[in-house]
Amino acid sequence: MDFDPHASTIESSSADDIVHDVQNLGIKEEASTNITCFSDVFNDIPIHFQIICFPKQIYAWIGCQTARFGCLYAAASTRPNNIVSVTSLLGGTSDNTGAGIARRIVLKTGVPVTLACNIPKDSPMLEAHVEKKLIQKLIILGYTKSKSQAVIS
Amino acid sequence: MDDASSYSFPVRHKNFSVQIKESKVDIVICSYDDQFLVIATEIGTMGTIMHARKEEGMLNTPTFNVSVIFGKRDEPMLLACARQLIEHISNSGSSKPLTLSLGLKDHSMEILKGIVSAVIENRLW
């Protein structure tokens, strides 16, 4: 796929200049973020999980049947008393399925979470299943509240 | 679970680091069915999250809507970065919107141009 030099306002005037500049940036293959992708099946419904672990935050995506992005939520411990707050960033409301999952992940791990999911509403069994699978994987990845509190301190 | 030869995860992604000036920026690019997600961070968190989309209109030249949905709302260079990328996505023939997350210490033009260049070089559109 070629870069169209007229399609952007980037000052480099040709694709060669951009590639040269990028090479001078020293792109390395390795990154310090860890991405975990896995899939599961619940009642013949394929469920896909993607977890991106940042040093101080978790991003997770849950896909039910499709790879649509879904609604995006953010949850974190906030003042006062470190109560967990959750908000909808894209689509949805604070009462939707993903909001509850995001909130409970923060309760379990103590780490701020950004969660995207396209789980249908009014599917409590599915919701419980995906949340359980996600938490299990987060524990395997080393996220427990005691560990995250140690990391934060 | 099917074996690796018949199963492929439905979301493509790329994960790499780039050195810009004195900063090591981790970049993740994901392609979902209906959206692209780009995360560039050097601070260990996702930082400011923006949403950018192409607006359907009657004009020949496309217009784009770019907004901050989480984080700093007073850094126009961050919005400019999102604007650059959504325009490139649109010009590549995709109508998918973009969710861009930037967790940066330095919001200088050099850093942001470097991120835009690196993302375009490793794009999934």
Side-chain angles (χ1 to χ4, degrees):
Chain A
M1 192 180 301
D2 294 329
F3 173 63
D4 180 357
H6 300 294
S8 172
T9 55
I10 297 174
E11 288 181 13
S12 299
S13 58
S14 70
D16 288 341
D17 287 340
I18 288 180
V19 171
H20 175 75
D21 289 340
V22 167
Q23 288 170 345
N24 285 339
L25 293 175
I27 289 183
K28 305 170 187 176
E29 291 300 322
E30 64 278 3
S32 57
T33 51
N34 177 27
I35 300 181
T36 302
C37 301
F38 63 101
S39 296
D40 189 38
V41 177
F42 177 76
N43 288 350
D44 295 326
I45 303 172
I47 311 290
H48 307 290
F49 299 83
Q50 181 187 50
I51 302 171
I52 303 178
C53 299
F54 300 98
K56 303 176 193 173
Q57 189 170 5
I58 297 169
Y59 165 81
W61 169 77
I62 305 172
C64 178
Q65 287 190 309
T66 70
R68 294 180 66 85
F69 189 67
C71 301
L72 183 66
Y73 303 90
S77 296
T78 57
R79 292 175 290 184
N81 302 326
N82 279 333
I83 190 171
V84 177
S85 299
V86 60
T87 186
S88 167
L89 302 182
L90 278 179
T93 68
S94 292
D95 296 330
N96 278 359
T97 303
I101 295 176
R103 182 175 171 276
R104 287 186 288 274
I105 291 173
V106 175
L107 285 169
K108 287 270 184 6
T109 65
V111 178
V113 166
T114 307
L115 174 74
C117 78
N118 63 12
I119 298 174
K121 290 171 64 173
D122 303 323
S123 304
M125 297 300 291
L126 175 62
E127 177 185 350
H129 178 82
V130 301
E131 184 177 328
K132 176 183 170 186
K133 286 293 178 185
L134 185 59
I135 299 255
Q136 283 177 347
K137 182 60 74 171
L138 289 172
I139 291 173
I140 290 172
L141 291 172
Y143 283 97
T144 58
K145 192 156 190 179
S146 57
K147 176 181 166 73
S148 59
Q149 283 176 333
V151 169
I152 290 171
S153 62
Chain B
M1 183 63 63
D2 293 338
D3 62 14
S5 62
S6 59
Y7 166 76
S8 62
F9 196 73
V11 177
R12 290 185 299 149
H13 73 263
K14 285 190 180 180
N15 181 23
F16 57 96
S17 288
V18 60
Q19 193 78 23
I20 306 172
K21 289 169 69 175
E22 305 294 322
S23 305
K24 174 177 176 281
V25 181
D26 295 323
I27 298 178
V28 177
I29 305 172
C30 299
S31 175
Y32 301 92
D33 280 354
D34 59 343
Q35 186 146 184
F36 293 108
L37 172 68
V38 174
I39 304 171
T41 178
E42 58 173 330
I43 60 174
T45 66
M46 291 178 67
T48 298
I49 306 176
M50 291 159 282
H51 188 67
R53 68 178 192 275
K54 179 180 174 181
E55 294 190 317
E56 299 300 327
M58 304 296 289
L59 301 174
N60 290 331
T61 54
T63 56
F64 305 97
N65 181 289
V66 182
S67 60
V68 175
I69 59 174
F70 187 84
K72 292 180 183 289
R73 298 175 189 271
D74 56 353
E75 288 283 354
M77 293 303 296
L78 300 182
L79 289 167
C81 184
R83 174 68 172 74
Q84 295 264 336
L85 290 175
I86 190 63
E87 184 176 7
H88 195 272
I89 291 171
S90 174
N91 290 332
S92 297
S94 175
S95 59
K96 287 197 235 181
L98 166 71
T99 297
L100 172 65
S101 182
L102 297 174
L104 306 173
K105 300 174 197 171
D106 179 3
H107 296 152
S108 67
M109 187 179 294
E110 184 176 353
I111 294 280
L112 291 167
K113 283 176 68 174
I115 290 171
V116 170
S117 297
V119 170
I120 289 173
E121 173 71 10
N122 293 274
R123 63 189 181 274
L124 291 177
W125 52 85

